[in-house]
Amino acid sequence: MTDSGEGHAAPPDPATDEEAGEIRAADLGRWLREFARLVRANRDLLTALDSAIGDADHGLNLDRGMTAVVIELDAAPRISSPATLLRTAGMTLVRTVGGASGPLYGTLLMRMAAACSAPTLSAEELAIGLRAGLDGVTARGRARPGEKTLLDALEPACAALDSALAEGTSLGVALHAARAAADAGRDATTAMVARKGRASYLGERSVGHQDPGATSMALLVTAAATSLGEPADSATAGAPGSD
Ligand code: ADP
Ligand code: MG
């Protein structure tokens, strides 16, 4: 990554002013906490989506799991390596979420952990980690894109992140592209026939319903864009009070 600081209109953020692209464990912690917040805020939506084509527990499952993750992170504030933080969160999800989504999200984070051994991550290393997570989820769930699952948000997000970074964009811009791709992938699940998980029992009757797992996965990518990317629209983190 280039280290040009030119043209940045945003005021320096004392928490992240070192080097754009250096992602630390604390940054990943902010990402997962933001995901937990979004899951809580969307819990009823996720559960309503799952009530249409599943068993009405997706919001409850993920909220339980991410609440446990936040408790784990609070209890271990000194986790200093990305791998340890991701592994801790992934194991917590596997342990606390009974549904299909727990092992799948847990696998995503644990595979990311295995691929992210450096003490701080570059944008490229984050993308490599996320793709390793995608590969792990694919292997575990034996699903492919187009089968109306969380992969339909995760796979396009990884593809968008990779291609944006390959073009030399900043992490912030790349993550916002990933977010747009995840949202589009989520929306595309509405027209799909479910081929995996409980929704597959409905066959063609699953058409017309947005997949709950793709919906939560898009929230995970949104959380990454807002917590790991540059502040796109002012995070109002205490701008100096100039009336
Ligand atoms: P359960 O189906 O056990 O009740 P959840 O309701 O928490 O679990 O999660 C359902 C979501 O899990 C689905 O919307 C789908 O996105 C995802 N899912 C289910 N099976 C698979 C699979 N084999 N591969 C990928 N994602 C899957
Ligand atoms: Mg369910």
Side-chain angles (χ1 to χ4, degrees), residues 65-144:
M66 289 310 300
T67 298
V69 167
V70 169
I71 290 170
E72 256 336 290
L73 296 182
D74 285 344
R78 286 176 298 154
I79 291 180
S80 62
S81 95
T84 303
L85 186 134
L86 292 166
R87 190 178 311 109
T88 299
M91 288 169 54
T92 302
L93 286 177
V94 171
R95 195 175 65 241
T96 56
V97 180
S101 57
L104 292 169
Y105 272 93
T107 296
L108 170 65
L109 296 178
M110 290 190 292
R111 289 298 194 90
M112 272 190 85
C116 293
S117 54
T120 65
L121 307 176
S122 66
E124 286 75 13
E125 287 168 332
L126 179 76
I128 288 168
L130 200 61
R131 185 160 287 280
L134 165 65
D135 290 344
V137 173
T138 302
R140 175 116 198 190
R142 298 171 184 275
R144 283 184 296 213

Side-chain angles (χ1 to χ4, degrees), residues 8 10-13 16 30 172 176 225-237:
H8 279 223
D13 176 350
T16 56
R30 282 191 296 114
H176 282 280
T226 54
S227 62
L228 298 176
E230 285 125 10
D233 47 329
S234 72
T236 43

